[in-house]
Amino acid sequence: MLLALLALALIALVLATPLALRRVEQWRSARALRPPRRPAGPFDELYDPGRERRAEQRARELLRSCVNEEEWGMYRDLGFIRVAGRHARREVDRQARAAYAYLVYPHKPIVAYVPQSGQLLSEYCVEFPDLTGSGGRHRLPASDDVLAKWMALTSDEDRVIRRANMHLIGRQLDPARVRRDLWRLAEWERRRGDRQQVPQSQR
Amino acid sequence: MKFLRMKPGHGEVLLAEGDPSMQEDEERLVEEFRRQLEEGMWAAVPVTNPGSGRREAQMVKNYADIPPESERVIFFPRASGG
């Protein structure tokens, strides 16, 4: 009985060998046709689920090191930064507070508004796509996007506004939400002002 | 001086670092600066406005435009309409 089973196994092995060899041959020829794998570059890494989070953490630190303390606090607490506009219609206005300002959100349009009245002016849709990015990644971390907008607006406002697509308020952002953000900003500044006045009054 | 570049999925990446007063380092920095601009990056230096005391950025289009006391130059993708 055992001998018969061994004989059967031997026959099965002999019959299966050509099939296995054919499979190996197919795999080899498919492998030869495949383009050679690129050597891993400095930015080509395996997928890492924590990568975006770490990238955002680094971006936040970079943003913090570039903007002033008030702007950092604004971003940390409210999720956006206000940047004053540089242009003024009259020379006398240059000396006073900015005639208009921008709210800079991560990965959302820049909103222009009038600080004195709270009137919303327009949305400027602008992106900073890194077309050299590997693995289909073109989008900067959220805080890098804010920093890029901040740098572009504070250094060359005209250039970034020229490149942006201007729309009326409401195209991408909900005007009610922006108004709520302006209210939050006013409250935040009021509380911050109170906090700064307390130590002075205690002296 | 450090050259940093914003990179999707990475945050900032250190591209080059050197002392601009050393000729060898400066040549390396100039080369890297040119390469980044050719790749379509914008370059900015965070500075403090001497008049208002506010933090702001200064865009640099040539290596020679970098303020001498700068500690870092940040390269980031150029803006386009979204």
Side-chain angles (χ1 to χ4, degrees):
Chain A
M1 181 67 183
L2 187 65
L3 203 63
L5 280 174
L6 277 172
L8 275 174
L10 197 63
I11 290 166
L13 187 69
V14 169
L15 288 174
T17 303
L19 289 172
L21 285 175
R22 201 180 306 158
R23 277 279 188 178
V24 169
E25 199 57 42
Q26 282 172 351
W27 177 75
R28 274 188 179 164
S29 44
R31 194 175 176 214
L33 287 174
R34 223 180 292 157
R37 187 179 288 178
R38 278 187 306 126
F43 305 122
D44 296 344
E45 290 158 20
L46 293 172
Y47 174 71
D48 174 359
R51 181 171 159 162
E52 299 296 331
R53 189 176 50 79
R54 287 196 299 275
E56 173 55 21
Q57 198 55 43
R58 273 198 292 273
R60 282 177 76 87
E61 288 305 316
L62 183 65
L63 174 66
R64 185 180 192 171
S65 70
C66 292
V67 301
N68 64 33
E69 192 251 330
E70 183 196 20
E71 287 168 328
W72 168 249
M74 204 180 285
Y75 182 66
R76 181 196 57 212
D77 298 343
L78 305 173
F80 57 85
I81 285 182
R82 179 189 52 206
V83 176
R86 301 297 170 98
H87 296 292
R89 267 188 283 181
R90 295 173 304 174
E91 191 57 37
V92 69
D93 290 340
R94 290 182 199 280
Q95 312 302 326
R97 57 187 298 183
Y100 64 100
Y102 300 103
L103 293 183
V104 175
Y105 294 96
H107 296 304
K108 282 183 186 164
I110 296 169
V111 176
Y113 75 104
V114 181
Q116 279 184 312
S117 62
Q119 184 192 355
L120 305 179
L121 298 173
S122 43
E123 288 181 7
Y124 293 97
C125 301
V126 63
E127 291 177 339
F128 296 86
D130 187 346
L131 300 177
T132 63
S134 60
R137 286 194 188 87
H138 302 309
R139 221 160 92 128
L140 294 173
S143 298
D144 271 351
D145 183 69
V146 169
L147 180 57
K149 286 170 181 161
W150 180 86
M151 290 198 294
L153 283 173
T154 58
S155 63
D156 198 343
E157 179 185 338
D158 291 343
R159 180 155 67 156
V160 70
I161 292 303
R162 255 198 325 272
R163 282 174 174 256
N165 289 326
M166 192 190 83
H167 300 290
L168 293 174
I169 286 286
R171 183 178 167 103
Q172 284 193 48
L173 290 167
D174 177 8
R177 196 201 141 172
V178 179
R179 286 195 188 94
R180 191 170 57 90
D181 282 344
L182 287 177
W183 176 81
R184 287 171 63 221
L185 175 60
E187 283 298 299
W188 182 83
E189 286 187 309
R190 189 180 57 76
R191 280 200 302 273
R192 196 167 178 273
D194 289 348
R195 272 203 304 273
Q196 283 174 346
Q197 278 171 7
V198 168
Q200 285 170 1
S201 63
Q202 286 173 347
R203 281 179 202 161
Chain B
M1 186 192 291
K2 285 180 181 176
F3 281 2
L4 306 173
R5 174 169 165 178
M6 293 179 183
K7 198 82 189 165
H10 288 266
E12 92 270 15
V13 172
L14 179 66
L15 298 170
E17 186 173 7
D19 181 354
S21 62
M22 308 285 285
Q23 192 188 346
E24 197 178 313
D25 282 10
E26 188 179 33
E27 283 172 8
R28 206 159 36 83
L29 292 170
V30 169
E31 183 59 35
E32 189 58 47
F33 188 91
R34 194 173 298 142
R35 201 166 67 85
Q36 291 303 315
L37 262 57
E38 280 169 5
E39 281 190 18
M41 296 291 124
W42 280 351
V45 180
V47 292
T48 302
N49 185 309
S52 63
R54 285 192 71 82
R55 297 285 293 163
E56 60 187 29
Q58 182 182 325
M59 206 72 91
V60 282
K61 293 174 184 167
N62 295 298
Y63 179 83
D65 297 340
I66 300 172
E69 70 282 1
S70 304
E71 289 178 358
R72 58 194 172 165
V73 179
I74 300 172
F75 295 91
F76 60 105
R78 62 179 61 176
S80 65

